Amino acid sequence: MLLLALDTATPAVTVALHDGTDVIASSSQVDARRHGELLLPAVDRVLAEAGVRLDAVTDIVVGIGPGPYTGLRVGLMTADTFGIALGVPVHGVCTLDGLAYAADIEKGPFVVATDARRKEVYWARYADSRTRLTDPAVDRPADIADQVAGLPAVGAGALLYPDAFPSAHEPEHVSAAALAGLAAEKLAAGEELPAPRPLYLRRPDAQVPKNYKVVTPK
Amino acid sequence: MADSRDEPLVLGIETSCDETGVGIVRGTTLLADAIASSVDEHARFGGVVPEVASRAHLEAMVPTIDRALKEAGVSARDLDGIAVTAGPGLAGALLVGVSAAKAYAYALGKPLYGVNHLASHICVDQLEHGALPEPTMALLVSGGHSSLLLSSDITSDVRPMGATIDDAAGEAFDKIARVLNLGFPGGPVIDRYAREGDPAAIAFPRGLTGPRDPAYDFSFSGLKTAVARWIEAKRAAGEEVPVRDVAASFQEAVVDVLTRKAVRACKDEGVDHLMIGGGVAANSRLRALAQERCEAAGIRLRVPRPKLCTDNGAMVAALGAEMVARGRPASSWDLSADSSLPVTDTHVPGQDHDHVHEVSKENLYS
Ligand SMILES: [Zn+2]
C-alpha cells in the first residue's frame, strides 16, 4: 500500500506519502491564497524526497473539507484527476477528522474547529481522536458556546475565538500525514471511506456580480 | 502531404465561465468536443453565478474527460500535451480547470500549456477552415468579451485593436431579453424573435460611432439603456410592446456597429481575412451582415460553426496543439489561474524562478 494524501481545505497546503505503516515524506505550507500554485510542486517534492514516481501510488486520499470552497476544490480536483489518470481509487476523509487524529487525544470529549470565514467556524465534537460524535457544521462561535463549553478544542477556528474556546490549543491546521495515517488505519480495518466529494455546508451565494462575465481587459 | 499522425495530439480543458469543456485535437483536426454546461442552474439568476459554476466544474470534469477520450477514440497515454485556459475568466472557475489540467499532465508525464482564452477563441477556427491566415483580424463577441484583435501568430502575437468600454455585446442581449421577459441566455431568443421583426422599425443609437470616437472600441451600455427606456415608455403608456420589432431593431444596432468597425479595422490594417468568434458569433444576423459587408470590401470571412464559437475545450486544444507544433515552452507546475490574464499573453510559459501572479490573488480567494 502506498497512499498519497493531500488536503487544501484549510490555509495549509499539505501533502504526504504513507506506506500503510509510516509516513515516508510530507510537506506542509501555510498560504491561504496560493493553494492552486503550491499543491502540484508540493506533490512533486514529496515524491522526489521519497524517490518514487506517482504511478507507484496505490490510493489517493483527499481532505473533503469542510473548508473555504476555492481552496478546497483545488485538492479535490487534483485528487479526482490523479485517480482517473492512474486508475487508482480516491478516498475522501473529513478534514476535521484529520485534525482530530493529529490532536492525538485518547479521552475526550473535545472539539475541532476550523476557520469558515465570515465570523463562523466549521466544527464537530469528538469522543476521542478516532470517533466523531456530531456531523460537521458551520456556525457562529457565540451560537454554539453552550455546546462546546468547558471542552478542549483544537484548530485555527478555535484559536481564533478564545471567548467561545478558552482552552483552544494546537494543532492549528490539518496535516496530510495525519489524514494518511487515519485513512491507512481505516482501510486496514476494512472500513469504507467517504466518496471524495466536497463538504461545502453552505449554499452558494446566488449573487450575479455586477459586470458578470466581463473578462476582456480594459 | 505529411502523415496527420505526426501532428500533435492535445487535450484541452476550458472552465473560464459556465461550460466545462474538454476537447481533443490532432493538429488542426477536431477529434472530440465534450461539453457539460451549468447554464440551466444560472438561468433563474439571470446571469452566471461564479460559485455555482465552480461547483459544477468540479462535478463535471472527470466524466467530461472520459467522454472526450471515448469520443476521440484515443488513449490518454498517446497525448502530446495538455492545454488549459489559464485566463481570463472567473477566478474560481478557472482554478478548477487549471487544477485538473496540472494533475492530468503530471500523472501522465505530459507537458502542460496554460493558454489564453481569447487566443483560443481565434485558434479554434483552424479546426473548421484550416491553418489561420497570418495576419488575421478577429472579432470576438460573447457574454464576456467584445474585442477586435489582430494576430500575426496565434501562439505569440495577439494585438488588441479595440474592446468594449462598458458591457460585452452578449450582456446587452441578456439584459434586453430580461426586460422583454424572454429568459436567459438572451442571444438565441432575441435572434429568433428578430427574424420576424423589422430591423428598421425603431432607430436605436449606435454607440461610439461619432467622428471623434475611438475607431475600434465598442460601447453597448447606452444602447441597453435606450432600449430598456423605450420598452418602459411603451408599457407606461399602456401600449403593447412590439417584441419582434424591438428585438430586430436592437439586434441590428449591435451587429451594425460590430461589423462596421471590424471591416474598417481590416481595411485600415490591410488585412484581407476576418474571423468572428465567441457565443454571439452564432447570431444569424451578425453572420449575414458580416458576410455582406466583407464581400463588398473584398475581405474573406471565416466564422466557425456555432458549437465551436461558444466556450469549449476544443478551442483550447487547438491552441495547445499549435503551441506544441511551434515549439513554444510549456508552463510550470505552479501555473496560476489568472482571471485578468492580458490578451497579449497568448500563453503562460514556465519561469525558472518561483514567480507569483500578483494580479490573480485578490480575485482568487476573496
Ligand atoms: Zn469565451
Side-chain angles (χ1 to χ4, degrees):
Chain A
M1 183 188 273
L2 188 60
L3 306 178
L4 176 72
L6 42 102
D7 191 296
T8 58
T10 73
V13 175
T14 173
V15 178
L17 202 60
H18 195 288
D19 66 5
T21 317
D22 286 306
V23 174
I24 302 170
S26 67
S27 157
S28 282
Q29 293 155 284
V30 175
D31 187 341
R33 292 175 174 276
R34 297 186 66 217
H35 289 102
E37 289 87 340
L38 296 175
L39 182 58
L40 235 290
V43 169
D44 191 43
R45 247 188 351 261
V46 165
L47 290 170
E49 193 187 317
V52 301
R53 283 166 43 113
L54 183 61
D55 53 15
V57 165
T58 61
D59 297 80
I60 310 286
V61 175
V62 61
I64 58 174
Y69 323 137
T70 306
L72 173 62
R73 277 188 288 265
V74 170
L76 284 163
M77 192 70 268
T78 302
D80 271 358
T81 315
F82 278 163
I84 52 157
L86 303 170
V88 299
V90 182
H91 311 285
V93 173
C94 171
T95 297
L96 301 180
D97 292 358
L99 251 165
Y101 188 81
D104 196 19
I105 296 174
E106 279 189 19
K107 227 175 133 31
F110 68 100
V111 177
V112 174
T114 58
D115 183 10
R117 301 180 187 171
R118 303 181 202 175
K119 300 192 173 117
E120 293 185 319
V121 293
Y122 295 118
W123 71 286
R125 224 144 51 112
Y126 289 79
D128 58 60
S129 269
R130 291 171 179 78
T131 316
R132 177 153 44 80
L133 296 170
T134 59
D135 283 337
V138 60
D139 286 293
R140 279 175 176 261
D143 295 344
I144 55 168
D146 54 332
Q147 296 173 68
V148 303
L151 298 181
V154 300
L159 292 160
L160 205 55
Y161 300 103
D163 286 352
F165 306 99
S167 46
H169 59 87
E170 303 268 294
E172 188 177 7
H173 299 304
V174 73
S175 74
L179 215 64
L182 177 59
E185 270 186 26
K186 291 197 179 220
L187 289 172
E191 265 186 68
E192 192 138 339
L193 291 169
R197 304 301 356 131
L199 295 175
Y200 292 121
L201 304 193
R202 291 190 193 114
R203 268 211 266 263
D205 283 338
Q207 282 269 331
V208 179
K210 209 176 131 42
N211 289 333
Y212 78 95
K213 279 176 115 175
V214 177
V215 294
T216 309
K218 296 277 153 73
Chain B
M1 203 178 126
D3 184 353
S4 74
R5 298 208 163 258
D6 294 341
E7 294 182 297
L9 181 67
V10 172
L11 179 143
I13 294 177
E14 151 66 31
T15 62
S16 69
C17 194
D18 59 336
E19 323 275 0
T20 311
V22 181
I24 299 174
V25 307
R26 194 187 294 281
T28 58
T29 307
L30 175 64
L31 301 183
D33 181 16
I35 292 266
S37 176
S38 60
V39 65
D40 293 344
E41 296 171 56
H42 305 283
R44 66 196 173 99
F45 304 113
V48 173
V49 182
E51 177 60 22
V52 171
S54 298
R55 290 185 182 193
H57 287 311
L58 175 64
E59 297 311 315
M61 184 58 68
V62 164
T64 311
I65 291 176
D66 279 339
R67 207 142 47 80
L69 287 170
K70 226 169 258 154
E71 205 178 305
V74 299
S75 158
R77 281 190 308 277
D78 298 331
L79 293 168
D80 295 306
I82 309 296
V84 63
T85 304
L90 300 170
L94 287 168
L95 187 54
V96 177
V98 167
S99 299
K102 279 188 197 177
Y104 207 51
Y106 185 85
L108 296 168
K110 310 289 182 188
L112 169 76
Y113 296 88
V115 301
N116 190 298
H117 180 77
L118 299 181
S120 301
H121 265 307
I122 301 174
C123 197
V124 74
D125 193 48
Q126 300 206 130
L127 306 178
E128 183 98 15
H129 298 110
L132 276 177
E134 294 177 344
T136 282
M137 186 69 69
L139 172 67
L140 296 187
V141 270
S142 74
H145 5 280
S146 309
S147 318
L148 209 43
L149 306 167
L150 179 59
S151 172
S152 68
D153 173 344
I154 198 59
T155 63
S156 66
D157 174 36
V158 173
R159 182 148 64 93
M161 301 286 298
T164 180
I165 60 163
D166 39 56
D167 302 337
E171 258 183 293
F173 276 87
D174 288 343
K175 172 72 193 295
I176 298 309
R178 207 176 328 168
V179 177
L180 290 170
N181 301 316
L182 300 178
F184 171 87
V189 65
I190 296 264
D191 194 357
R192 212 159 52 238
Y193 276 92
R195 265 172 236 173
E196 296 163 20
D198 176 6
I202 312 148
F204 287 129
R206 268 63 171 164
L208 292 188
T209 50
R212 270 185 294 277
D213 287 330
Y216 311 127
D217 283 340
F218 306 106
S219 165
F220 299 106
S221 170
L223 169 65
K224 209 172 71 176
T225 310
V227 178
R229 283 219 182 106
W230 193 93
I231 295 167
E232 279 154 23
K234 277 276 165 198
R235 283 182 184 146
E239 292 174 46
E240 201 178 314
V241 176
V243 175
R244 289 168 177 78
D245 285 348
V246 171
S249 300
F250 156 73
Q251 177 176 281
E252 195 67 13
V254 175
V255 306
D256 176 27
V257 175
L258 289 173
T259 54
R260 207 193 301 178
K261 295 204 173 205
V263 168
R264 169 149 180 214
C266 288
K267 282 186 179 164
D268 291 354
E269 296 289 324
V271 176
D272 60 359
H273 276 85
L274 173 67
M275 87 76 61
I276 304 185
V280 178
N283 183 278
S284 63
R285 181 59 188 149
L286 175 61
R287 286 176 173 242
L289 190 58
Q291 189 63 55
E292 197 180 293
R293 288 181 171 173
C294 281
E295 255 166 46
I299 297 163
R300 278 275 281 286
L301 177 68
R302 295 175 39 135
V303 191
R305 78 196 86 138
K307 200 183 173 219
L308 293 180
C309 285
T310 47
D311 293 349
N312 62 77
M315 68 191 218
V316 181
L319 183 52
E322 204 56 46
M323 294 289 171
V324 176
R326 299 200 186 203
R328 301 291 172 209
S331 301
S332 50
W333 299 123
D334 67 350
L335 172 70
S336 299
D338 185 345
S339 61
S340 49
L341 186 69
V343 64
T344 46
D345 292 5
T346 51
H347 65 134
V348 186
Q351 312 263 326
D352 290 334
H353 58 282
D354 186 40
H355 76 288
V356 187
H357 269 274
E358 298 296 334
V359 251
S360 63
K361 278 185 169 180
E362 282 303 303
N363 295 320
L364 270 178
Y365 301 105
S366 56

